[in-house]
Amino acid sequence: MDLIIKNGTIVTAEATFKGDIAVKDGKIKAIGAKLDPKGHKEATVVDAKGLLVLPGAIDGHTHLEMPFGGTISADSYEAGTRAAACGGTTTVFDFVLQDFGENLVDAVKRRDALCAPQACVDYAFHTGVKDLSGDLIESMEQSVKFGVSSFKVFMVYDFGVTDGLFYQVLRKAKEVGALIGVHAENKEIIDTLIAEFKAEGKTSAWYHYASRPEFVEGEADFRAIQWAKSLNAPLYIVHLANAQGMEEVTKARDEGYPIFAETCPQYLYFTNEVYKREDGRNFVCSPPMKGKASQDALWEGIKRGDITTIATDHCPFQSYEKDWGKDDFTKIPNGCAGIENMFPYMLSEANKGRITFNKAVELCCTNPAKLFGCAPQKGMLVPGADADIVLYDPKKEFTVSVNNMHSDYDHTIWEGVKLKGYPVATYSRGKLVYKDGEFVGKKGDGKFVKCKPVRHKTPNL
Ligand code: URP
Ligand code: ZN
Ligand code: ZN
């Protein structure tokens, strides 16, 4: 053995038990009560007494060094994956944005060339689809065979897809074993409201929310779900932030359709009140934070099992870039930081009793692996899985500050947030990459995780 983690409390999505984990060649070799380290003199033995032993988290939604909003998001692949490691996240699904006319496999290879030399933890991709004209739609199948089996369509932004293309993509995805994620908001209504607010001189960050209120997202969720239902195709609503959409997801799942939803820590912690703050522009992301009723509906959805994953939508920008929109909210690059905060925040909520630790593991580790086709390699503590392991001290008090994060951005929306418990060590394929506040891994060590085709036919994974 190379590594034996002893005396910890092992937490999986299903169970909590005292036990030891043995690791060999980057894989979990055995899990059991009192594995004997004597026969493994060469192994590093770690005493995890008093700690929880968890699978590394999977962040299913990040935008690292992505050209967007007139600039490039502030975390490079190196900085973003370094920060991920320090927050207990050992696999990052980043978004490739297809160029117009580009084959989807070429798009992935283009991003991988940038990511591979920098990655500090393992990574996979979803591809944001812009153009499937001519025979480009066939490259969806090529992409699935290449190991990227999930795509995102945007109903907003200047590269958003038409309803017709969205429908075609859903149909093709079902045929080739892919999952479609959707950014659901109504672009026409947003554009109309923005024009009206600007004409009235209403340009503060609050009007970012006011131009994208609850129903703008909810009715787009409803439409997207109707199209997926009509094809019985799986659909994944990313960054769900509103109560009406939550209701539609629940309804479709109760009817037996393979509809899945992701929400993000920022929607679970902040409300639209943040847009009234002096630094409100720093919280501008799309969809925006919503009212308390929506936040409560998301927490209820988590408890009911109708939210399948938590991910961050990590897309930070520097303060000077956010400041472009000081006097005009439409000039604020959309996106916020979160890659290092997701697992600690969800575990802290578990530690405070809002959900169980098993639920936090299900949402942040096991479900994304099952949903995106990388289980049981990722997201689980089982023999044969990659030894992506987090040691978590439930007694450690932690206050988030930009000064104790490991990204390249210069501010965080999580500044000053107090967490109960915190990760103290992260192992990526058996190798220590984070210990007691410090990144101890190496850039370039992260590997591309190729995902299998996914053929979800019911809401159960
Ligand atoms: O504001 C956000 N969410 N920026 C990143 C792009 C997206 O829509 O996911
Ligand atoms: Zn989006
Ligand atoms: Zn996003």
Side-chain angles (χ1 to χ4, degrees):
M1 295 299 158
D2 302 323
L3 169 70
I4 300 181
I5 298 171
K6 289 195 67 63
N7 307 320
T9 300
I10 296 172
V11 182
T12 70
E14 298 83 22
T16 304
F17 54 96
K18 295 261 183 227
D20 304 343
I21 298 187
V23 175
K24 175 83 182 151
D25 296 331
K27 300 271 184 196
I28 295 176
K29 201 75 188 160
I31 302 182
K34 306 231 171 291
L35 297 178
D36 185 5
K38 280 195 204 111
H40 305 283
K41 292 211 166 35
E42 71 289 8
T44 303
V45 179
V46 174
D47 186 2
K49 191 162 186 291
L51 304 179
L52 303 187
V53 182
L54 312 162
I58 297 173
D59 190 341
H61 188 155
T62 71
H63 302 278
L64 301 176
E65 56 183 290
M66 187 177 84
F68 189 61
T71 181
I72 295 178
S73 58
D75 266 345
S76 64
Y77 278 109
E78 179 184 351
T81 53
R82 180 178 69 215
C86 300
T89 289
T90 48
T91 308
V92 164
F93 277 75
D94 197 59
F95 277 96
V96 173
L97 274 192
Q98 179 203 19
D99 284 338
F100 283 93
E102 191 178 29
N103 174 291
L104 294 172
V105 177
D106 292 343
V108 170
K109 288 182 178 166
R110 171 171 59 78
R111 286 306 277 186
D112 189 33
L114 202 60
C115 181
Q118 299 188 52
C120 302
V121 295
D122 290 352
Y123 61 95
F125 294 112
H126 311 295
T127 301
V129 170
K130 293 182 187 171
D131 174 20
L132 293 179
S133 55
D135 59 2
L136 276 179
I137 197 157
E138 301 309 325
S139 68
M140 280 177 72
E141 184 163 19
Q142 296 160 20
S143 176
V144 171
K145 287 185 178 146
F146 189 72
V148 175
S149 55
S150 42
F151 306 93
K152 178 177 176 186
V153 295
F154 295 84
M155 295 166 85
V156 290
Y157 306 136
D158 50 4
F159 50 84
V161 299
T162 62
D163 293 356
L165 182 55
F166 185 1
Y167 187 76
Q168 276 179 287
V169 169
L170 278 168
R171 191 169 55 198
K172 193 70 176 174
K174 188 181 171 195
E175 186 189 315
V176 302
L179 178 69
I180 300 302
V182 62
H183 178 140
E185 288 183 295
N186 186 313
K187 183 175 189 310
E188 297 267 313
I189 294 178
I190 294 167
D191 289 346
T192 302
L193 291 174
I194 286 176
E196 286 174 6
F197 288 137
K198 284 186 78 161
E200 292 164 23
K202 295 173 172 168
T203 55
S204 73
W206 173 258
Y207 292 95
H208 174 69
Y209 164 72
S211 59
R212 312 173 95 106
E214 275 47 12
F215 80 93
V216 160
E217 189 189 340
E219 82 81 35
D221 291 327
F222 171 76
R223 274 187 295 137
I225 291 169
Q226 296 315 303
W227 300 333
K229 275 172 61 174
S230 77
L231 293 162
N232 208 6
L235 178 69
Y236 178 57
I237 308 228
V238 302
H239 48 45
L240 182 75
N242 78 100
Q244 184 191 345
M246 187 70 257
E247 220 174 277
E248 297 301 338
V249 168
T250 301
K251 211 156 87 191
R253 289 171 64 83
D254 286 349
E255 290 165 355
Y257 290 99
I259 306 294
F260 306 95
E262 158 197 292
T263 192
C264 311
Q266 57 271 32
Y267 303 122
L268 296 171
Y269 185 76
F270 300 104
T271 67
N272 55 1
E273 289 294 310
V274 292
Y275 299 114
K276 295 178 183 163
R277 286 168 50 157
E278 171 56 33
D279 62 347
R281 62 190 168 282
N282 290 341
F283 295 80
V284 163
C285 57
S286 292
M289 282 39 135
K290 303 295 201 307
K292 181 77 169 62
S294 280
Q295 186 177 79
D296 291 346
L298 296 174
W299 275 112
E300 286 308 311
I302 284 177
K303 289 179 187 162
R304 241 187 357 258
D306 288 325
I307 293 279
T308 300
T309 66
I310 304 291
T312 63
D313 196 10
H314 181 79
C315 191
F317 295 96
Q318 303 293 14
S319 300
Y320 79 90
E321 293 165 316
K322 289 288 193 184
D323 287 351
W324 293 336
K326 232 175 178 160
D327 303 314
D328 179 354
F329 70 92
T330 64
K331 296 198 166 64
I332 305 167
N334 285 201
C336 303
I339 204 165
E340 197 167 343
N341 311 108
M342 174 183 79
F343 208 24
Y345 171 69
M346 292 307 292
L347 291 167
S348 173
E349 289 301 298
N351 210 4
K352 291 176 186 168
R354 191 170 209 162
I355 53 173
T356 63
F357 281 113
N358 310 91
K359 186 73 181 175
V361 167
E362 178 189 304
L363 291 163
C364 300
C365 314
T366 310
N367 276 357
K370 289 180 177 172
L371 186 68
F372 302 137
C374 62
Q377 181 190 350
K378 296 293 184 190
M380 295 180 185
L381 296 176
V382 289
D386 285 354
D388 296 341
I389 300 170
V390 171
L391 304 186
Y392 178 81
D393 181 353
K395 295 212 169 77
K396 196 175 163 74
E397 304 285 335
F398 189 88
T399 304
V400 180
S401 161
V402 71
N403 301 319
N404 56 26
M405 296 288 98
H406 297 80
S407 282
D408 277 351
Y409 52 71
D410 65 354
H411 69 280
T412 170
I413 58 171
W414 294 93
E415 188 72 39
V417 172
K418 290 187 181 357
L419 301 176
K420 185 174 176 198
Y422 209 74
V424 290
T426 305
Y427 295 85
S428 168
R429 279 179 283 105
K431 191 167 170 264
L432 189 66
V433 291
Y434 163 78
K435 177 111 178 73
D436 296 329
E438 300 295 329
F439 175 68
V440 295
K442 199 159 107 284
K443 76 168 183 175
D445 274 1
K447 292 221 176 340
F448 184 1
V449 180
K450 300 235 173 170
C451 294
K452 295 181 275 256
V454 284
R455 295 192 182 278
H456 304 298
K457 294 194 169 64
T458 73
N460 306 313
L461 291 174

